[in-house]
């Protein structure tokens, strides 16, 4: 009872520590690693202060975690320790804060101090001390963030997710704004990555998880199409255990919305250890990913509260388009006129996002109402449309809890077609692209089995009208850029299906905004 702790993450050796502490007389009342940390800190306090006890405990703990400890013997002191998981200090007047993210204390202060990995922080009402694990003091600057309390409010929308869907045009505009000023190219100077590497790179590897993986998949198609560089994609948690082969002429791109995704960070570190240059694509300034990379490309989506990613996803896609165009420019793989054309189309995306949301909101609500109680969905796409299908299906699973599969259209006959019957809605990504004829063939096969086709198509393309029961049109733009627009009706569809089912879309069960453990 003398020591209390708050823990985020996983302590991998807690069972061994628990056995040792039990042998020394500790009385455990739970099976949690948090209680092990509390007993371990209490054990070390027998020989020193809370700060010394936390340092000693930290030296024994293995895993990915952040924890804060307090003691009844020192009621005016909090001591935190960070190992891989996020933790940040908020600085007030006569009061200080410790949290895993800035929004937790935005109502009280906008002055923050970032805690680096493998650091101890001591918080008292009058100030904050930063220490290395061996107790050496560290100087840390105070940063003022430009968020305020209103930023974390819903802004008149019924949920954060709906608010963030409607913020996507502004978020994409912010992501591309000053990077496309020239009009005939893209400038990414703030990424601070040696552009000679971009010119000479032999191969690119994109590592990510979840929604970020789908953004990376769109990026792969864009880079290969425009810059003609071979791109490999992998799920970070799989790649890091493959004993992977990486070369010095390879660029590894780690995509993580929070900048704190444990598996992506571990994969980025492994790539650097093996000689590759690493570029982080993230939304959070000062996050761990920014410190584990040779360069950073920020997505500038702003604060995203809802667990299901929406605006951070489209900003990741926009950032990958920018990178692909910059690579094409540096390597001379596209004519300057074609780059200027694509940049112009890219700059029109925010306006088209706004038009799309305003025009389709009621239509998608009606579609969602018709299908809200379906028990299974299949999503199909080809080429860049496959990434759109994967992301649309993930959104539906995350917030509506409906069993949903997403496949490449060409794989349908290799198993998924057996799942189809008259009760199955099949969402097909049928925007104007080089493989649209193949996608239309898939839609015909689906309808022949009695399933109900909902198509996402390009405005004005009437080839799709006869192939689907319902058609949702997105504005016409370059076919590669259209992937970003095609995702948005699927976000809205998932949202309204979940709302019709009476679910909490902002905090879906079993999910967290940032996955800070394996």
């Amino acid at each position: 009872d003398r020591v209390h702790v708050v823990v985020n993450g996983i302590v991998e050796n807690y069972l061994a520590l628990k056995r040792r502490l039990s042998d020394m007389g500790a009385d455990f009342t739970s099976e949690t690693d948090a209680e092990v940390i509390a007993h371990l800190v209490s054990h070390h306090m027998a020989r020193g202060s809370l700060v010394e006890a936390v340092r000693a405990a930290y030296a024994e703990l293995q895993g990915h975690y952040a924890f804060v400890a307090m003691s009844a013997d020192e009621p005016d002191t909090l001591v935190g320790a960070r190992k891989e998981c996020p933790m940040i200090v908020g600085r007030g007047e006569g009061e200080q804060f410790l949290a895993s993210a800035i929004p937790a204390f935005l109502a009280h202060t906008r002055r923050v101090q970032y805690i680096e990995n493998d650091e101890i922080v001591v918080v008292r009402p009058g100030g904050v001390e930063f220490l290395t694990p061996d107790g050496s003091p560290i100087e840390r600057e105070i940063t003022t963030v430009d968020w305020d309390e209103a930023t974390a409010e819903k802004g008149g929308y019924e949920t954060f997710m709906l608010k963030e869907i409607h913020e996507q045009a502004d978020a994409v505009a912010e992501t591309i704004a000053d990077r496309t000023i020239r009009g005939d190219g893209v400038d990414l100077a703030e990424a601070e990555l040696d552009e000679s590497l971009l010119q000479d790179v032999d191969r690119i590897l994109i590592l990510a998880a979840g929604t970020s993986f789908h953004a990376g998949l769109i990026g792969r198609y864009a880079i290969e199409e425009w810059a003609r560089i071979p791109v490999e994609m992998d799920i970070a948690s799989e790649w890091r255990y493959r004993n992977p082969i990486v070369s010095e002429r390879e660029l590894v791109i780690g995509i993580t919305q929070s900048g704190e995704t444990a598996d992506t960070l571990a994969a980025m570190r492994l790539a650097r250890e093996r000689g590759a240059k690493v570029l982080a694509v993230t939304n959070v300034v000062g996050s761990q990913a920014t410190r584990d990379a040779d360069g950073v490309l920020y997505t500038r989506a702003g604060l995203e509260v809802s667990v299901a990613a929406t605006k951070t996803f489209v900003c990741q896609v926009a950032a990958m388009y920018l990178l692909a165009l910059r690579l094409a420019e540096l390597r001379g793989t596209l004519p300057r006129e074609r780059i200027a054309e694509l940049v112009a189309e890219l700059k029109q995306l925010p306006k088209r996002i706004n038009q799309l949301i305003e025009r389709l909101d009621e239509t998608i609500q009606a579609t969602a109402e018709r299908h809200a109680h379906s028990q299974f969905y299949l999503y199909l796409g080809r080429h860049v449309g496959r990434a759109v299908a994967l992301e649309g299906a993930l959104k539906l699973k995350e917030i509506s809890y409906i069993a949903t599969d997403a496949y490449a259209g060409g794989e349908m006959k290799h198993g998924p077609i057996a799942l189809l019957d008259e009760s199955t809605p099949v969402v097909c990504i049928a925007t104007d692209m080089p493989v649209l004829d193949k996608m239309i063939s898939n839609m015909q096969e689906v309808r022949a089995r009695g399933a109900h086709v909902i198509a996402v198509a390009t405005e004005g393309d009437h080839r799709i009208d006869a192939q689907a029961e319902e058609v949702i049109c997105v504005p016409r733009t370059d076919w590669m850029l259209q992937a970003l627009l095609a995702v948005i009706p699927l976000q809205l569809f998932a949202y309204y299906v979940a709302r019709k089912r009476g679910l909490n879309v902002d905090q879906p069960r079993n999910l967290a905004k940032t996955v800070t453990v394996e």
Side-chain angles (χ1 to χ4, degrees):
D1 290 339
R2 290 172 55 238
V3 173
H4 291 241
V5 298
V6 178
V7 182
N8 177 25
I10 294 174
V11 176
E12 295 173 352
N13 63 332
Y14 83 98
L15 286 175
L17 292 170
K18 183 178 181 180
R19 284 192 294 269
R20 196 188 90 203
L21 291 164
S22 293
D23 290 343
M24 292 189 293
D27 182 18
F28 286 87
T29 59
S30 74
E31 300 299 318
T32 65
D33 54 0
E35 189 179 5
V36 171
I37 295 175
H39 278 288
L40 188 61
V41 172
S42 180
H43 165 71
H44 287 296
M45 279 195 72
R47 296 194 298 272
S49 67
L50 179 62
V51 174
E52 293 166 333
V54 168
R55 284 179 44 222
Y58 179 83
E60 296 192 66
L61 297 169
Q62 299 171 11
H64 309 271
Y65 59 83
F67 74 88
V68 179
M70 65 178 296
S71 167
D73 298 337
E74 299 178 43
D76 64 344
T77 302
L78 297 176
V79 182
R82 181 178 179 210
K83 180 75 171 179
E84 309 290 345
C85 288
M87 188 161 60
I88 195 161
V89 173
R91 297 299 302 268
E93 297 297 330
E95 59 180 2
Q96 319 300 334
F97 305 85
L98 273 172
S100 59
I102 293 170
F105 50 71
L106 263 180
H108 306 280
T109 183
R110 292 188 295 138
R111 298 169 69 235
V112 305
Q113 287 177 296
Y114 295 105
I115 306 171
E116 302 283 354
N117 198 32
D118 294 317
E119 287 185 356
I120 310 289
V121 61
V122 184
V123 176
R124 298 185 178 93
V128 177
E129 297 173 63
F130 286 76
L131 305 172
T132 63
D134 67 6
S136 301
I138 303 170
E139 291 292 323
R140 185 60 38 81
E141 68 176 346
I142 297 175
T143 302
T144 300
V145 297
D146 58 2
W147 302 347
D148 56 27
E149 189 174 0
T151 308
E153 296 299 323
K154 297 175 186 175
Y157 293 96
E158 61 181 3
T159 64
F160 282 111
M161 184 176 179
L162 188 60
K163 170 180 175 282
E164 287 152 10
I165 288 172
H166 281 262
E167 289 174 342
Q168 289 180 115
D170 290 341
V172 170
E174 186 67 25
T175 297
I176 66 176
D178 58 315
R179 295 157 171 171
T180 54
I181 288 175
R182 275 195 291 128
D184 62 349
V186 170
D187 293 310
L188 301 177
E190 91 283 359
E192 295 182 357
L193 191 69
D194 184 357
E195 290 202 331
S196 66
L197 170 70
L198 299 182
Q199 287 177 296
D200 300 333
V201 65
D202 290 334
R203 189 177 76 121
I204 291 173
L205 169 65
I206 300 174
L207 299 171
T211 285
S212 297
F213 181 85
H214 303 152
L217 192 55
I218 295 174
R220 178 177 79 174
Y221 286 113
I223 292 169
E224 290 190 338
E225 181 73 20
W226 296 339
R228 308 305 298 153
I229 303 171
V231 181
E232 182 184 341
M233 282 242 28
D234 210 342
I235 296 168
S237 59
E238 291 295 316
W239 183 84
R240 61 181 290 204
Y241 294 115
R242 272 174 45 190
N243 191 18
I245 301 168
V246 184
S247 78
E248 293 181 357
R249 291 175 61 84
E250 185 168 350
L251 175 65
V252 174
I253 303 172
I255 308 179
T256 160
Q257 170 272 130
S258 65
E260 302 288 352
T261 308
D263 286 313
T264 305
L265 293 175
M268 289 165 61
R269 291 179 193 128
L270 179 59
R272 286 184 92 188
E273 289 169 6
R274 299 198 175 188
K277 293 293 184 182
V278 174
L279 175 68
V281 177
T282 185
N283 193 48
V284 181
V285 176
S287 61
Q288 189 63 45
T290 68
R291 301 192 288 274
D292 289 342
D294 299 291
V296 183
L297 183 55
Y298 287 108
T299 53
R300 302 177 182 172
L303 178 64
E304 187 175 69
V305 176
S306 181
V307 168
T310 51
K311 64 176 182 174
T312 52
F313 171 78
V314 295
C315 288
Q316 287 173 342
V317 174
M320 295 305 292
Y321 286 150
L322 291 170
L323 179 62
L325 286 171
R326 183 60 183 155
L327 284 164
E329 187 178 6
L330 288 169
R331 298 166 70 89
T333 52
L334 284 179
R336 186 164 293 279
E337 297 77 16
R338 175 61 175 150
I339 293 176
E341 179 184 306
L342 287 166
V343 169
E345 288 292 322
L346 190 61
K347 292 167 83 167
Q348 289 297 310
L349 285 180
K351 182 175 76 174
R352 290 179 173 136
I353 292 169
N354 269 334
Q355 293 170 343
L356 173 63
I357 293 173
E358 289 172 10
R359 180 169 54 82
L360 287 181
D361 193 83
E362 290 185 8
T363 300
I364 294 174
Q365 283 194 57
T367 302
E369 188 158 6
R370 285 189 289 273
H371 300 286
H373 298 290
S374 298
Q375 298 305 306
F376 171 73
Y377 285 78
L378 181 65
Y379 282 58
L380 295 175
R382 282 180 177 262
H383 200 275
V384 72
R386 178 169 74 97
V388 176
L390 287 165
E391 176 60 13
L394 178 61
K395 284 293 152 285
L396 192 64
K397 282 183 276 196
E398 283 180 317
I399 64 174
S400 72
Y401 316 146
I402 297 173
T404 308
D405 255 344
Y407 276 87
E411 288 293 293
M412 186 178 65
K413 286 187 174 180
H414 294 272
I417 200 166
L419 297 169
L420 303 183
D421 59 28
E422 293 80 2
S423 68
T424 311
V426 181
V427 179
C428 296
I429 314 307
T431 53
D432 193 8
M433 66 178 81
V435 293
L436 179 57
D437 288 343
K438 299 293 184 183
M439 195 66 229
I440 289 173
S441 176
N442 291 139
M443 294 162 68
Q444 292 168 342
E445 292 170 341
V446 166
R447 295 187 82 199
R449 273 71 183 179
H452 185 99
V453 174
I454 303 168
V456 177
T458 301
E459 202 169 46
D461 190 345
H462 299 294
R463 289 175 291 175
I464 307 303
D465 296 349
Q467 314 300 333
E469 280 72 28
E470 299 176 69
V471 180
I472 299 168
C473 290
V474 298
R476 183 173 292 278
T477 185
D478 179 84
W479 67 270
M480 185 67 75
L481 300 179
Q482 202 153 53
L484 186 150
L485 296 175
V487 165
I488 293 170
L490 303 185
Q491 296 171 343
L492 285 166
F493 180 70
Y495 177 84
Y496 285 119
V497 166
R499 294 297 285 172
K500 294 293 181 186
R501 293 166 74 96
L503 299 172
N504 182 343
V505 297
D506 284 336
Q507 295 180 305
R509 68 189 183 199
N510 304 330
L511 296 178
K513 184 64 180 169
T514 304
V515 181
T516 58
V517 296
E518 286 191 64

